[in-house]
């Protein structure tokens, strides 16, 4: 297995077979990308106020005055969750009273200071603005005011679905293959995108939304792993770091446009099922990973697939692809079914896995926290999210350019540090300059997302073939833990408006610190077995001397005084 890439080098890196796989796998990322922002548009909260029934027989002046005014974000707005007592307002209207914001002496009529009236809740429901949305889950099921806690809980169920999907799909993929998991996830995504459109109540909706979340990230992870194992060399790098993410982002950009055109959440849900249904016929065009087949000891199937690819590329396959001695050794050994516990099997893989989990959690809290905090910025929500998504295209382009020429650990650290510093500066401009604040938000997302893009490649290269999908899925599982926390970040602003931004920037800095200890994988062959895992980097102070090797002990002892003297800061 360790000579796999050398054994299949006869295929080349960019023939007709690779071109077909490259294109089709990029297209399979569209359903997952198209559904990612669904949690934002389906759960959008339109501006609203208490409903005043038409049979209340109030004058137009009293209808307008019956909703209290309040200051929100430095602006005067109508209260969303209270109104003046309707019975009292009706009595005042019946006796000819007129509403006034301040006491005014007027001999011809009785004026009432409305701010002194007693308030009550929205007993007759709410009236929702249709400026941006005809209907959303929030407006249809009234998830506002006393039921506002249901909004982040609904988002939580969506991301918990992704967490559960990652937990089971990684082990299924490493046991039964990459291809079944990829198309199974796409099918689940399409099925439950259609099903949520017919949800009659909020409890039914969150149950279906949980299942929808299961397929979203799972489909992308499976496509990423399958492409990383089918493609080699520079083709693998450009696929995993540029083309697959860019197609994914292009699909994300389509959803705000669709949400603008299809303003009903039920119709939008049905539209979200279309890309997945269009990708299902690719089952007959995309092969299984031969690298995975070899790792499972299924050499005959792998050879058959590789010879078919050679015919497609019009190259001649060698008479023997895999060395018989190695084949006998691999087939004679019992192939154990991988599990998530194998990620903790040895000290090397355990240390690397724990560090990757911390980084994935931290960066995804920051990534989704930025997305949810966009609602705190003023302006058209569709334009805001298009800008926030469009910045991902240059982020992925930059990550590809850097990943192909520079060490991946250093690249991940540099991009994430850029994003963290931009988010820290938001505290200075949040109230004073909205344009600069938006620029810093976009720069912060650029850095964090470019760091995540490199992290995908980095994680794939650090994971052995026998458990690669499980490793990536476990990391995605922790990313979904982070995204599950992110909807609640916005609510921390009630304690301090800067608190959400401080948390996302500090978590990004934590990722930078942990990343320093990971081993470098730049221009190294993919790891196939757990035993090949490299050790983590040991932290050394810049002025600390390097431990001497046994063969050079005498030389180091004689030169030690000069080394200490010349390296002292």
């Amino acid at each position: 297995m360790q000579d796999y890439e050398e054994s299949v080098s006869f295929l080349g890196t960019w023939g007709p077979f690779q071109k077909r796989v490259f294109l089709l796998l990029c297209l399979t990322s569209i359903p997952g990308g198209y559904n990612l922002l669904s949690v934002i548009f389906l759960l959008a909260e339109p501006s609203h106020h208490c409903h005043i029934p038409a049979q209340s027989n109030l004058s137009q002046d009293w209808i307008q005055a019956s909703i209290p005014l309040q200051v929100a974000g430095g602006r005067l707005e109508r209260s969303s969750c209270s109104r003046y007592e309707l019975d009292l307002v009706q009595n005042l209207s019946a006796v000819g009273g007129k509403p006034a914001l301040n006491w005014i002496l007027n001999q011809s009529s009785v004026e009432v200071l409305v701010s002194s009236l007693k308030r009550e809740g929205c007993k007759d429901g709410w009236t929702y603005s249709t400026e941006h949305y005809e209907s959303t889950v929030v407006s249809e099921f009234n998830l506002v005011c006393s039921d506002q806690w249901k909004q982040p809980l609904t988002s939580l169920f969506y991301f918990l679905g992704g967490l559960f999907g990652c937990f089971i799909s990684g082990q299924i993929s490493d046991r039964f293959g990459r291809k079944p998991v990829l198309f199974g996830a796409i099918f689940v995504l399409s099925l439950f995108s259609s099903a949520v459109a017919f949800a009659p109540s909020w409890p039914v909706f969150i149950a279906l939304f949980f299942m929808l979340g299961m397929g979203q990230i799972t489909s992308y992870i499976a496509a990423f792993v399958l492409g990383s194992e089918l493609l080699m060399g520079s083709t693998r790098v450009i696929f995993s770091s540029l083309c697959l993410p860019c197609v994914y982002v292009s699909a994300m950009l389509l959803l705000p446009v669709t949400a603008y055109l299809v303003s009903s959440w039920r119709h939008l849900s049905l539209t979200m099922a279309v890309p997945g249904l269009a990708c299902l016929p690719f089952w007959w065009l995309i092969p299984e990973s031969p690298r995975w087949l070899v790792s499972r000891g299924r050499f005959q199937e792998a050879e058959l697939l590789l010879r078919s690819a050679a015919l497609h590329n019009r190259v001649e396959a060698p008479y023997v692809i895999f060395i018989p001695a190695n084949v006998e050794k691999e087939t004679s050994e019992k192939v154990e079914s991988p599990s998530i516990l194998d990620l903790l099997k040895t000290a090397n893989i355990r240390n690397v896995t724990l560090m990757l989990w911390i980084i994935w959690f931290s960066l995804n809290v920051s990534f989704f926290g930025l997305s949810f905090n966009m609602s705190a910025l003023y302006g058209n929500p569709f334009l805001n999210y298009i800008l926030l998504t469009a910045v991902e295209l240059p982020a992925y382009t930059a990550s590809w350019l850097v990943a192909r020429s520079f060490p991946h650990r250093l690249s991940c650290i540099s991009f994430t540090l850029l994003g963290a510093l931009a988010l820290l500066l938001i505290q200075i401009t949040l109230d004073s300059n909205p344009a600069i604040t938006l620029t810093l938000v976009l720069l912060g997302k650029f850095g964090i997302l470019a760091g995540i893009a490199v992290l995908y490649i980095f994680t794939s290269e650090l994971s052995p073939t026998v458990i690669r999908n499980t490793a990536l899925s476990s990391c995605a599982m922790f990313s979904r833990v982070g995204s599950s926390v992110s909807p609640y970040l916005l609510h921390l602003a009630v304690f301090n408006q800067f608190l959400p931004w401080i948390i996302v920037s500090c978590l990004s800095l934590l990722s930078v610190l942990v990343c320093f200890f990971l081993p470098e994988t730049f221009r190294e062959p993919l790891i196939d077995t757990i035993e090949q895992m490299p050790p983590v980097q040991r932290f050394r102070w810049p002025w600390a001397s390097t431990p001497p090797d046994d063969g050079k002990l005498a030389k180091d002892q004689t030169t030690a005084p000069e080394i200490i003297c010349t390296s002292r800061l």
Side-chain angles (χ1 to χ4, degrees):
M1 277 180 56
Q2 57 194 12
D3 298 323
Y4 173 84
E5 295 194 8
E6 182 181 346
S7 300
V8 301
S9 59
F10 65 90
L11 281 178
T13 59
W14 191 239
F17 172 76
Q18 287 90 347
K19 291 176 182 178
R20 185 189 71 188
V21 168
F22 193 105
L23 174 62
L24 294 179
L25 284 178
C26 284
L27 292 177
T28 59
S29 71
I30 292 177
Y34 194 60
N35 279 265
L36 179 61
L37 290 179
S38 61
V39 67
I40 292 172
F41 291 103
L42 295 181
L43 297 176
E45 181 181 351
S47 58
H48 55 278
H49 58 80
C50 292
H51 178 64
I52 306 298
Q55 61 270 26
S56 58
N57 296 322
L58 294 178
S59 65
Q60 192 61 37
D61 289 341
W62 274 109
I63 290 176
Q64 294 294 326
S66 59
I67 307 298
L69 297 177
Q70 61 185 19
V71 178
R75 300 188 304 175
L76 198 62
E77 296 178 348
R78 304 176 81 180
S79 174
S80 300
C81 299
S82 65
R83 68 184 182 188
Y84 296 116
E85 282 193 356
L86 190 58
D87 292 339
L88 181 58
V89 171
Q90 286 177 313
N91 292 336
L92 291 171
S93 178
V95 299
K98 290 186 178 181
L101 295 177
N102 296 293
W103 288 111
I104 300 175
L105 183 62
N106 193 319
Q107 301 295 331
S108 60
S109 63
V110 177
E111 295 202 352
V112 180
L113 181 64
V114 292
S115 60
S116 64
L117 300 179
K118 192 175 180 180
R119 301 187 184 189
E120 64 181 2
C122 299
K123 297 180 179 179
D124 298 299
W126 292 264
T127 298
Y128 294 92
S129 169
T130 56
E131 179 184 2
H132 299 302
Y133 308 96
E134 178 184 327
S135 67
T136 68
V137 174
V138 171
S139 63
E140 182 159 334
F141 299 133
N142 291 323
L143 309 182
V144 294
C145 299
S146 60
D147 283 338
Q148 192 171 20
W149 60 272
K150 294 180 179 179
Q151 291 184 36
L153 183 63
T154 306
S155 304
L156 176 64
F157 266 77
Y158 176 76
F159 292 121
L160 287 179
L163 187 155
F164 183 72
C166 291
F167 178 76
I168 62 172
S169 67
Q171 299 176 74
I172 293 174
S173 177
D174 285 328
R175 183 173 298 185
F176 299 107
R178 319 309 197 196
K179 184 177 172 181
V181 169
L182 171 61
F183 287 95
I186 292 174
F187 176 75
V188 167
L189 199 57
S190 301
L191 176 64
F192 288 98
S193 291
S194 305
V196 295
F198 302 98
S201 63
W202 178 72
V204 175
F205 175 83
I206 61 171
L208 296 174
F209 211 38
F210 176 89
M211 300 300 296
L212 175 62
M214 281 182 58
Q216 192 277 318
I217 187 63
T218 300
S219 62
Y220 182 80
I221 293 290
F224 181 89
V225 172
L226 185 55
S228 297
E229 295 180 351
L230 282 168
L231 304 171
M232 293 187 299
S234 59
T235 306
R236 178 198 296 148
V237 175
I238 194 173
F239 167 82
S240 57
S241 63
L242 181 63
C243 292
L244 183 70
C246 283
V247 174
Y248 186 78
V249 171
S250 299
M252 289 173 60
L253 283 169
L254 289 176
L255 188 63
V257 177
T258 308
Y260 176 78
L261 298 174
V262 182
S263 53
S264 168
W265 74 270
R266 294 187 184 273
H267 295 158
L268 181 61
S269 297
L270 289 173
T271 306
M272 284 159 44
V274 174
L277 295 175
C279 288
L280 290 178
F282 294 168
W283 169 273
W284 290 275
L285 300 174
I286 297 176
E288 182 55 271
S289 165
R291 190 168 197 139
W292 173 81
L293 290 171
V294 170
S295 73
R296 300 294 292 170
R298 295 159 61 175
F299 289 92
Q300 290 184 347
E301 295 175 61
E303 284 208 14
L304 183 63
L305 195 154
L306 291 169
R307 293 187 187 281
S308 174
L311 287 174
H312 199 62
N313 280 359
R314 297 179 182 177
V315 298
E316 185 176 352
Y319 182 73
V320 177
I321 296 179
F322 300 106
I323 301 173
N326 291 342
V327 173
E328 290 175 8
K329 181 181 177 181
E330 292 290 342
T331 53
S332 63
E333 294 177 356
K334 182 180 178 181
V335 179
E336 298 181 358
S337 298
S339 72
I340 196 170
L341 294 179
D342 289 333
L343 295 173
L344 308 174
K345 188 174 183 180
T346 65
N348 286 347
I349 195 171
R350 180 168 58 249
N351 293 335
V352 169
T353 297
L354 293 176
M355 290 179 186
L356 287 173
W357 285 350
I358 293 172
I359 296 172
W360 279 77
F361 170 81
S362 302
L363 288 184
N364 277 272
V365 171
S366 302
F367 174 78
F368 285 97
L370 277 173
S371 299
F372 283 106
N373 279 338
M374 282 298 287
S375 60
L377 304 177
Y378 297 117
N380 186 292
F382 303 106
L383 182 58
N384 282 346
Y385 283 110
I386 286 175
L387 288 174
L388 197 64
T389 304
V391 76
E392 298 187 17
L393 292 174
Y396 283 123
T397 304
S399 68
W400 166 65
L401 291 173
V402 170
R404 63 187 294 199
S405 305
F406 296 97
H408 296 164
R409 184 181 61 164
L410 178 62
S411 303
C412 185
I413 289 172
S414 302
F415 280 127
T416 307
L417 186 60
L418 171 66
L421 294 177
L423 295 176
L424 281 173
L425 292 175
I426 288 176
Q427 302 171 61
I428 302 174
T429 64
L430 187 59
D431 292 326
S432 58
N433 199 316
I436 295 179
T437 299
L438 180 59
T439 302
L440 289 173
V441 170
L442 296 177
L443 182 60
K445 184 169 184 182
F446 171 89
I448 289 174
L449 194 67
I452 291 176
V454 177
L455 185 62
Y456 265 99
I457 306 171
F458 200 21
T459 303
S460 178
E461 293 172 344
L462 282 170
S463 306
T465 299
V466 293
I467 201 171
R468 181 168 293 119
N469 211 125
T470 296
L472 269 167
S473 295
S474 72
C475 290
M477 185 172 68
F478 274 84
S479 79
R480 282 301 174 258
V481 174
S483 56
S484 301
V485 173
S486 59
Y488 294 92
L489 281 181
L490 190 59
H491 296 272
L492 296 177
V494 298
F495 303 105
N496 187 305
Q497 63 174 333
F498 301 121
L499 195 55
W501 304 105
I502 293 173
I503 290 176
V504 295
S505 56
C506 288
L507 286 173
S508 300
L509 291 174
L510 174 64
S511 301
V512 170
L513 179 63
V514 175
C515 199
F516 271 110
F517 297 94
L518 289 173
E520 184 54 73
T521 61
F522 184 54
R523 291 178 179 170
E524 297 288 338
L526 286 181
I527 302 169
D528 285 317
T529 64
I530 293 176
E531 290 71 23
Q532 295 173 352
M533 283 292 298
V536 298
Q537 299 291 315
R538 299 289 183 181
F539 180 79
R540 237 177 9 100
W541 295 106
W543 53 83
S545 59
T546 305
D549 294 334
D550 294 337
K552 299 181 180 179
L553 184 58
K555 180 180 178 180
D556 288 347
Q557 285 176 342
T558 58
T559 58
E562 286 125 20
I563 293 175
I564 294 174
C565 182
T566 56
S567 64
R568 192 160 58 96
L569 294 179

